Amino acid sequence: MLVRYFAAACAAAGVEEEHHDLSEGTTLDGLIAAILAVDRRIEGSTGNFSLAMVIDRSSFLRNEVALRDHGAKLSTGDVVDVLPPFAGG
């Protein structure tokens, strides 16, 4: 699965996007757990704690469609976007 990070999520993750090799049918919650399990000791990154806080407040898109059900099953070819709250509308 390809995960793309935007705005504060990108800053906290330290990357704009990354791939996660997860099983077909992994849920959004399972993907989030995999995201947070990555060692993010990257210069300039604010680390896992901050990323967890950002993800807790974020919205998600799967293949450009809103995904609100954290129990939803994902496919290995899905693209998941992590969208933190944006200021200004």
Side-chain angles (χ1 to χ4, degrees):
M1 271 162 240
L2 175 63
V3 179
R4 301 186 302 187
Y5 300 102
F6 294 85
C10 179
V15 296
E16 292 182 5
E17 62 183 37
E18 63 190 1
H19 290 272
H20 287 272
D21 187 21
L22 301 174
S23 301
E24 185 81 20
T26 296
T27 63
L28 178 57
D29 274 339
L31 175 60
I32 291 169
I35 289 169
L36 296 177
V38 173
D39 182 359
R40 299 201 182 268
R41 286 180 271 174
I42 303 166
E43 188 173 330
S45 172
T46 53
N48 281 347
F49 181 72
S50 180
L51 182 56
M53 289 178 18
V54 171
I55 284 179
D56 189 47
R57 293 168 176 79
S58 291
S59 300
F60 300 89
L61 301 179
R62 174 181 52 196
N63 304 326
E64 301 183 7
V65 177
L67 179 61
R68 292 179 180 87
D69 179 5
H70 283 230
K73 295 182 181 194
L74 304 172
S75 297
T76 56
D78 284 344
V79 175
V80 177
D81 296 332
V82 181
L83 306 171
F86 292 93

